[in-house]
Each structure stands twice: as C-alpha cells, then as structure tokens.
Amino acid sequence: MLTISRSPSRTRHPFEKLFIDLGSHSPDKALAALTSAMQEERRDMNAFEWLSQALPGATLKPALAFGSVSELYRSYTRPAEFERLKGLRRV
C-alpha cells in the first residue's frame, strides 16, 4: 500500500499574491518597504524600479511591474479593505 504524505499547507500572506517570487524576503518585510515608499513620497516611482532597489531578487507580476508604487499599494489595500468590510457586514 502506498501512502502519500502531505505537508501542511501554510496560509499565504495576502501581499504575496502581487508577486511571482518574493526572493528571500518575507511578505511582512516587503509590505513594510512598500509602506515606507508611500510615506517617503515615492508614489510616482515605477514599481519595477522601486522593487529592484528595495527588494532585490523579488519579482512582481508583469501587470503590476509597469505601474507606479501607488498603484501597487492600491492593488494590495483595496482587496484587503473589501475583505474587512465584508467581515463587518456579517456581524
């Protein structure tokens, strides 16, 4: 009899959905770097250029790499806010 061992699946951080690969960076570190870029007024910077400097080795999904840092930030915060609001509505 053949038994298949399954490793427990880890829950993905919602921020990981924006990346093909985070390289050696954690989702929390990547999100902190993006938040810092927003606070430092780098909103209009190209997302690919920002990523190359802030998180070397990480790869954004192609549609997001052509946008700005602020578009990348909104791509994360809008779905997160929507999920939060859906949770409030159920209560």
Side-chain angles (χ1 to χ4, degrees), residues 27-91:
D28 293 325
K29 177 183 177 183
L31 185 55
L34 181 60
T35 303
S36 176
M38 291 294 290
Q39 292 170 346
E40 294 170 2
E41 301 296 324
R42 290 191 264 164
R43 293 178 175 99
D44 295 329
M45 185 177 190
N46 175 271
F48 178 79
E49 289 178 28
W50 166 79
L51 185 71
S52 298
Q53 295 171 12
L55 303 167
T59 309
L60 280 171
K61 290 188 176 178
L64 297 169
F66 291 107
S68 66
V69 169
S70 63
E71 291 169 337
L72 179 61
Y73 185 77
R74 281 192 308 268
S75 294
Y76 169 70
T77 57
R78 282 188 178 158
E81 184 65 14
F82 179 67
E83 288 300 316
R84 187 186 71 80
L85 289 173
K86 280 187 351 186
L88 289 174
R89 191 170 189 203
R90 291 184 188 148
V91 174

